Amino acid sequence: MTLAVRVPEELSARVPVEQRGPGLERDAVRMLVSRGVEVAHHTFRELPLLLRAGDLLVVNTSATLAAAVDGWTGDARVVVHFSTRGDDGRWAVELREPDGRGTTRARAGGPAGREVRLPGGVGLVLEEPLSGRGERLWWARVSGAGVPGLLREYGRPIRYAYTERDQPLSAYQTVFALPSADGTGSAEMPSAARPFTARLVTELVSRGVLFAPVTLHTGVASAEAHEPPYPERFAVPEASARLIEAARAGGGRVVAVGTTAVRAVESAVGADGAVRARAGWTELVVTPERGVRVVDGLLTGLHEPQASHLLMLEAVAGRLAVERGYEAALQGRYLWHEFGDVHLVLR
């Protein structure tokens, strides 16, 4: 799916909402609500009024990593974006070029055997492209230290050109983020959950809305070429699978908080349509042809019209609803990207 949408530069959210004025908290963002082709305008703080007792929110507990590290290859300075840890201990990485403004631009990744010097005496060697799609992401072997420790000491959050300045890692953590035992996490924030605050979660629970935690560690997205998602590591715990099935049986709506939560829960659906505990790697790409089997709604951010993102939205809501929602977001001057406003799609 493609939309003839051009997002004006001034609609990019350049800083988190809590930095835009005194007294603002994360839940001060706006929320566009789509029910079919009908749209309504709300603030995120009104979410408890739009859900009902028995509804269930599926949330991603993956913590965001300080995944960008400065390095050198030969005499050239590069920035390494650490994306995903493989089962064999290698990491999928993207090599980027500093642009002189605190952000980066695309550069060629290879060839195989390229060496990168990292801080603290750590070395990295590119071994092979992650897939046959292209050479943006490479499997790399790291020597001299563990990657989680390297990121903790020398890393910073991945930042894109539309943002105004560097932010602390805490600005990229959601209220649901939990550190993993092995130090892995998401290269980029599961941003749909960013507007939640502890106060809002408490209000939702007090109104009978349930939460089902899942985990999906997101890799590095492409800022230039809108690719389908690569395989990602996920886990749907037994307790969450039971909560989802109980909500469905009781007539509650299953609302995924973010496309990552959709990918995780839809990857745990069996041939009989039931959700069961599952963990591992998912290659699932949710499309209108595949459809969604569990999710009744989606809370998502506003992003550049990317094929995979829009296809998932279309699978949940239908093409006309997506087109109408994006038109309304532009007309309403909603803010885009990870620090921006959000879109609640209910079937």
Side-chain angles (χ1 to χ4, degrees), residues 82-122:
F82 285 85
S83 181
T84 306
R85 184 179 66 82
D87 291 334
D88 60 0
R90 296 186 299 175
W91 280 75
V93 301
E94 179 186 24
L95 266 57
R96 306 274 298 181
E97 209 171 81
D99 63 4
R101 300 189 299 273
T103 53
T104 61
R105 52 178 170 256
R107 59 157 288 153
R114 180 184 293 277
E115 298 181 2
V116 179
R117 304 189 306 281
L118 298 172
V122 177

Side-chain angles (χ1 to χ4, degrees), residues 62-240:
S62 180
T64 308
L65 301 174
V69 180
D70 291 324
W72 293 85
T73 177
D75 294 328
R77 187 179 164 216
V78 294
V79 177
V80 179
H81 287 175
F82 285 85
S83 181
T84 306
R85 184 179 66 82
D87 291 334
D88 60 0
R90 296 186 299 175
W91 280 75
V93 301
E94 179 186 24
L95 266 57
R96 306 274 298 181
E97 209 171 81
D99 63 4
R101 300 189 299 273
T103 53
T104 61
R105 52 178 170 256
R107 59 157 288 153
R114 180 184 293 277
E115 298 181 2
V116 179
R117 304 189 306 281
L118 298 172
V122 177
L124 178 152
V125 179
L126 301 183
E127 293 193 346
E128 59 182 333
L130 186 63
S131 81
R133 289 187 206 160
E135 298 192 356
R136 184 175 70 87
L137 289 171
W138 284 70
W139 285 117
R141 188 80 59 183
V142 179
S143 60
V147 171
L150 173 76
L151 301 185
R152 283 194 299 270
E153 187 162 357
Y154 299 105
R156 62 185 179 277
I158 291 173
R159 176 188 157 205
Y160 290 114
Y162 49 77
T163 55
E164 185 175 291
R165 56 181 177 269
D166 285 344
Q167 297 287 341
L169 184 59
S170 59
Y172 291 88
Q173 302 293 9
T174 74
V175 71
F176 305 110
L178 295 171
S180 62
D182 62 1
T184 56
S186 288
E188 298 181 2
M189 172 176 54
S191 56
R194 191 183 192 278
F196 283 90
T197 61
R199 179 185 62 190
L200 191 69
V201 171
T202 301
E203 182 179 351
L204 286 162
V205 171
S206 74
R207 290 174 175 266
V209 176
L210 305 171
F211 287 82
V214 299
T215 302
L216 186 137
H217 295 318
T218 66
V220 176
S222 168
E224 292 81 24
H226 300 318
E227 306 160 320
Y230 286 90
E232 292 170 319
R233 193 187 300 273
F234 82 105
V236 175
E238 177 68 33
S240 293

Side-chain angles (χ1 to χ4, degrees), residues 3-11 304-305 330 336:
L3 287 180
V5 172
R6 188 189 70 82
V7 181
E9 189 176 336
E10 65 268 20
L11 294 187
E304 293 288 355
L330 285 170
W336 253 249

